Amino acid sequence: MATPFHRFGFAVLRHSNRIQCRRKQNIGLLTHRSLHSSPFYRASTRDDDDGNGDGDEGPRKVTNEPYTFNYDSLSSEARHHYDLLSPEEKVEFQKDDQAAYEHFNSPALESELQGLVSQAVYDINQKAPRDRAPPEKIVPGLMAMGEVDEQGSGEDDEFDGDDITSIAHGELEQHREIRDYARIAAWEMPMLSKLAKPFELPSRDKPLRFRYTTYMGETHPAAKKVVLEFCTRDLPNLTEAQRIKLVKLVGVRYNPDADLVKMSCEMFETQAQNKRYLGDLVDTLMAEAKDPTDMFEDVPLDLRHHKPKPTFEFPDKWKLTERRKAQLEANWRQQALREREREETGTLIDGTKVVEQVLEAMSMQAPAKPAMPPPPGARSRQKQLQR
């Protein structure tokens, strides 16, 4: 583990020698260089590498050569700023550069940095564990079985008898579903009014009518079924002979009473596929009906599959006309007048009074209930108590 930190320390030592010397900031023409990923390079530092790598391996090489100012070793930006300096500022610039060069090449700084790197490596080795055991594989529990356990929940907790029953879980799930639909009805369905369009009757160029079935989000095998209905007389560009041929081709799917052809399809998995199949089937029937090679004139039109339902008409005599209404109102008025006359003369029978009189007469004629004989042995016990 110490090898990466040694390399990091040596890289710090190497790059420390590439730092440009400090300049005075009171020069108006100089601009502060922003943070940049590429450091300043000197010709001496480039020659220090042996050419076998990036130079990060091994300790920093300290040169004992005397300082000499080299104008060509400066970068283009540094040369531009150096040319803008006055002669006195150039001398001060060279002095600062020499001081920095002597400071970074001093043996005292080299030993100090080596000690700091070694101490950092030692501290990291002491804090880091020696032997790292491989992480234990978390076995997913029953609730996370078959799903990607991204949070690492692990196995289920032990059952302590504090959980609800499966029936209660079902009720809770039903309650969640009801709340979900309530939120949809409260927040999402009002927004559908913006997409509402007024109903328009289908035009003549749209004779086909498709019917779908939905189960409000639930999966059902009949949800993919599509039903097609069309009237044979509404199909465009069909003569009467071609229409009769089309009726013979559809067979039992034709209803002669309503002149309606009804077909359905549920062979495919989606409603769009079944609708496309029915549309292609109608195109094929139209092409066959318009084929003049064989018009099926020798084939009779068989309608035995259709069983007409009997229809009953309401008799005209039973219909409530204005004359009949006036006659019924006159009869009701005469009946009310007769009941009022009976009430005044006292001949009107009151059913409540008649029931009360009958009940009173039955209570007076009812015989008295005989006394129940005492149970056997009761007299002997009574005699013993008297003695």
Side-chain angles (χ1 to χ4, degrees), residues 138-159 163-166 169-170 172-173 176:
I138 301 177
V139 181
L142 179 62
M143 302 301 295
M145 187 176 297
E147 300 180 359
V148 180
D149 193 4
E150 298 178 353
Q151 300 180 355
S153 58
E155 297 184 1
D156 300 336
D157 299 333
E158 293 185 2
F159 180 70
D163 195 6
I164 58 179
T165 61
S166 58
H169 275 293
L172 189 61
E173 184 65 25
R176 293 194 189 99

Side-chain angles (χ1 to χ4, degrees), residues 56 64 107 110 122 129 151 154 165 179 237 300 371:
D56 290 343
N64 296 324
E110 176 71 17
Y122 176 77
Q151 300 180 355
T165 61
R179 289 176 64 90
N237 303 326

Side-chain angles (χ1 to χ4, degrees), residues 215 218-224:
Y215 292 87
E218 296 183 4
T219 57
H220 196 277
K224 59 184 179 181

